[in-house]
Amino acid sequence: MTGPESEGTQVRRCVCPGSFDPITNGHLDIISRASRLYDEVYVAVMINKAKKGLFEVEERLDLIRAVTAEYANVRVEAFHGLLVDFCKQRDIPAIVKGLRAVSDFDYELQMAQMNNGLSGVETLFVPTNPTYSFLSSSLVKEVATWGGDVSHLVPPLVLDALNERLRQD
Ligand code: PNS
């Protein structure tokens, strides 16, 4: 065995969960920062059968894998059910979330407290880079749908996938 576990220290793992429909530069900023703080970062894409996204879950996974390929300690997986179960199965003690603005805080705090109450998993909030404080996948999709320029908000590969998908619709 190599790495921290062989040296008797615990591997520090975290998860960055979300819908990622599609991944934006804001998500990527949080994932890259988490990858500097933790030994292993799981990006967990929620499967929500009740809500059809613009991209299928497999497409989202492929896009995330491609744009996070430079981070050797990032793994990308889909999940359904409770996030705390995903964490338990992989021995992940921490959820890392970006906070864009105070308006995010109310719901994020509820989820953090619920998740902690359910299983003891901690949530760490990372202040979003101000460049992306207004950014969400929904807004990107809306702006792109009406021909607005989102090239500074998503990685080039995601931009291509968005344009391709929106041309089909
Ligand atoms: O990108 P999103 O849609 O804001 O992400 C929300 C997500 C996936 C992080 C949240 O809905 C979630 O954790 N869902 C999994 C189901 C769950 O554990 N629900 C209880 C939360 S307290």
Side-chain angles (χ1 to χ4, degrees):
M1 198 192 297
T2 56
E5 257 163 347
S6 65
E7 290 146 26
T9 54
Q10 267 250 294
V11 176
R12 292 166 306 156
R13 298 188 177 92
C14 77
V15 61
C16 296
S19 303
F20 301 103
D21 185 37
I23 186 167
T24 68
N25 287 343
H27 294 128
L28 207 44
D29 174 55
I30 300 298
I31 293 165
S32 70
R33 288 157 69 188
S35 82
R36 290 197 288 274
L37 296 171
Y38 288 87
D39 299 317
E40 286 181 3
V41 177
Y42 283 79
V43 178
V45 180
M46 180 181 60
I47 301 170
N48 183 352
K49 294 209 170 91
K51 193 171 158 203
K52 188 165 161 42
L54 181 63
F55 293 97
E56 299 294 336
V57 169
E58 281 305 321
E59 295 173 313
R60 298 180 212 176
L61 294 171
D62 287 347
L63 287 173
I64 301 169
R65 286 193 181 113
V67 301
T68 60
E70 66 188 277
Y71 308 111
N73 61 343
V74 171
R75 307 171 59 147
V76 186
E77 291 185 17
F79 80 104
H80 60 89
L82 290 178
L83 180 59
V84 291
D85 290 335
F86 180 92
C87 292
K88 219 178 288 171
Q89 286 150 11
R90 292 160 185 79
D91 205 11
I92 300 171
I95 299 166
V96 171
K97 285 278 192 82
L99 270 191
R100 289 168 296 193
V102 178
S103 50
D104 278 347
F105 187 69
D106 196 31
Y107 185 51
E108 290 295 342
L109 182 66
Q110 285 178 38
M111 285 200 286
Q113 290 171 329
M114 176 63 82
N115 284 329
N116 186 260
L118 285 171
S119 75
V121 71
E122 298 289 357
T123 298
L124 283 300
F125 293 120
V126 177
T128 298
N129 180 328
T131 316
Y132 307 127
S133 61
F134 59 91
L135 181 52
S136 68
S137 299
S138 314
L139 275 185
V140 163
K141 285 183 282 191
E142 187 173 329
V143 172
T145 299
W146 299 108
D149 180 14
V150 293
S151 58
H152 54 305
L153 304 176
V154 294
L157 191 74
V158 175
L159 184 67
D160 290 347
L162 256 176
N163 288 334
E164 173 85 5
R165 181 56 40 88
L166 293 171
R167 260 206 312 270
Q168 290 167 3
D169 290 347

